[in-house]
Amino acid sequence: VYPRLLAPASHEAVLQRVLSCARDMNLKVLYCTVYPTSPDSFPNEDPLWVLSRCLRQFSDVPVMLMHGGGHRLLAYAEHFRYFPNVYLDLSFTLTRYWSASVKSDIHYLTKYFDQRICLGSDLPDVLKTEWLNRLHDLRELCDEDTWKRISADNALCFVYSS
């Protein structure tokens, strides 16, 4: 689901239909957390709160928050920690904001939210060398068990969840 591509007035209704179908068909939902790309696509309401309202009705549906919420990484992590079927992919945020304060936020999450963060790649939008450099940097912040969880195990838990 790409909220930035939906008409602002239909975001919640579309998301409810998607979550309902996902529940009925035992599917997972990938929800983009990247912000609008132009002023014309700004939402009328914060997508975090729209998603939150919908997930209260469909808390059993596994959802992957793609791209880590960008500069709002901690807001997404803190908010959705109460939803056990919600996972947080760090792909875009890891490469886009690594040199900003988000590096500290990611380090924090490796200690306190490591059961539900995952690593996507955003290839080909991100250069392979840049992605590999960020993986190396992130690996240095983690112990072996944490690295195993965020680099593979959590994504597998999401994929095989029912």
Side-chain angles (χ1 to χ4, degrees), residues 134-147:
R134 292 301 73 78
L135 288 182
H136 176 75
D137 294 340
L138 181 58
R139 173 65 187 94
E140 291 181 351
L141 298 176
C142 304
D143 62 46
E144 193 64 36
D145 289 337
T146 301
W147 177 248

Side-chain angles (χ1 to χ4, degrees), residues 34-157:
V34 173
Y35 277 77
T37 54
S38 73
D40 293 337
S41 63
F42 285 172
N44 293 338
E45 184 177 5
D46 188 340
L48 183 147
W49 292 106
V50 173
L51 179 60
S52 179
R53 271 196 310 277
C54 291
L55 284 178
R56 282 188 230 130
Q57 298 171 36
F58 299 96
S59 61
D60 56 320
V61 177
V63 175
M64 178 71 72
L65 301 176
M66 304 301 296
H67 314 301
H71 68 282
R72 295 181 65 202
L73 172 65
L74 280 184
Y76 274 88
E78 284 295 314
H79 187 83
F80 291 106
R81 69 187 169 117
Y82 299 107
F83 295 84
N85 288 324
V86 175
Y87 289 75
L88 185 61
D89 157 61
L90 299 180
S91 59
F92 173 79
T93 300
L94 185 63
T95 54
R96 176 78 179 257
Y97 296 101
W98 184 256
S99 61
S101 64
V102 170
K103 177 180 178 180
S104 297
D105 298 344
I106 291 172
H107 188 224
Y108 172 84
L109 293 179
T110 65
K111 295 188 178 311
Y112 301 104
F113 198 72
D114 62 308
Q115 301 293 321
R116 290 191 281 136
I117 54 175
C118 305
L119 300 173
S121 69
D122 275 352
L123 295 173
D125 294 331
V126 174
L127 296 175
K128 183 178 173 183
T129 53
E130 181 183 1
W131 178 241
L132 292 173
N133 288 337
R134 292 301 73 78
L135 288 182
H136 176 75
D137 294 340
L138 181 58
R139 173 65 187 94
E140 291 181 351
L141 298 176
C142 304
D143 62 46
E144 193 64 36
D145 289 337
T146 301
W147 177 248
K148 187 173 182 290
R149 278 191 297 278
I150 66 175
S151 66
D153 292 352
N154 293 344
L156 291 172
C157 285

